[in-house]
Amino acid sequence: MAKKPVVAYQFLDIPENMQEIVKEIVTKNLEGKMDSYFKKIYANKDSAEIRIDYVIKKNKKGLWKGDFKFTYDGKVFTWTTGEGGFKIIEDIPNHAFEHFKTHLSNKSEEPRKAK
């Protein structure tokens, strides 16, 4: 893929080794699962940009919380762990990308549903 998404992140009170695990999972999602979706976005518009911003922290209950903001070609999709949180930090980026992928899949189907 010639163009690559811009990724920005913030970790609040997260040990360095866990930060690296999350960054690795984000990279795997970008290069593997999302590659074909991103190619379509870039192919539809030469000036299209994709940006992913995320924050991961531990809440008072000791659970991991995450907020992801996917900006693509002027549109925004957000995903958050909500009120609770996750026991396993690795689940956060995987869930975020899965929801984003589903969102993009549904967007590509909308014109076909319209009559």
Side-chain angles (χ1 to χ4, degrees):
M1 177 166 59
K3 286 183 155 185
K4 295 211 179 272
V6 175
V7 179
Y9 53 84
Q10 184 178 13
F11 295 102
L12 304 173
D13 299 321
I14 308 293
E16 187 71 32
N17 65 324
M18 296 183 114
Q19 292 180 28
E20 293 305 317
I21 291 169
V22 170
K23 288 190 264 185
E24 187 177 305
I25 292 170
V26 168
T27 300
K28 284 181 181 177
N29 275 282
L30 291 173
E31 293 174 355
K33 297 177 185 177
M34 299 303 299
D35 191 45
S36 63
Y37 292 92
F38 291 162
K39 282 181 184 177
K40 288 178 187 175
I41 293 169
Y42 290 133
N44 287 337
K45 188 175 175 186
D46 259 359
S47 63
E49 293 182 4
I50 300 172
R51 180 176 175 92
I52 297 137
D53 297 280
Y54 65 94
V55 177
I56 297 182
K57 58 188 170 188
K58 200 171 208 177
N59 68 15
K60 292 177 183 176
K61 295 179 182 176
L63 298 173
W64 304 107
K65 292 191 53 93
D67 296 300
F68 276 72
K69 180 180 174 185
F70 299 89
T71 307
Y72 61 103
D73 192 25
K75 300 174 184 88
V76 177
F77 174 79
T78 58
W79 180 87
T80 183
T81 53
E83 291 297 315
F86 285 80
K87 290 181 181 178
I88 302 169
I89 197 169
E90 293 93 328
D91 289 344
I92 293 172
N94 286 326
H95 279 270
F97 278 97
E98 189 62 37
H99 284 274
F100 184 48
K101 187 171 79 172
T102 301
H103 170 76
L104 291 175
S105 294
N106 291 341
K107 288 285 182 197
S108 66
E109 292 176 10
E110 284 179 0
R112 286 185 257 153
K113 291 180 183 177
K115 293 187 180 194

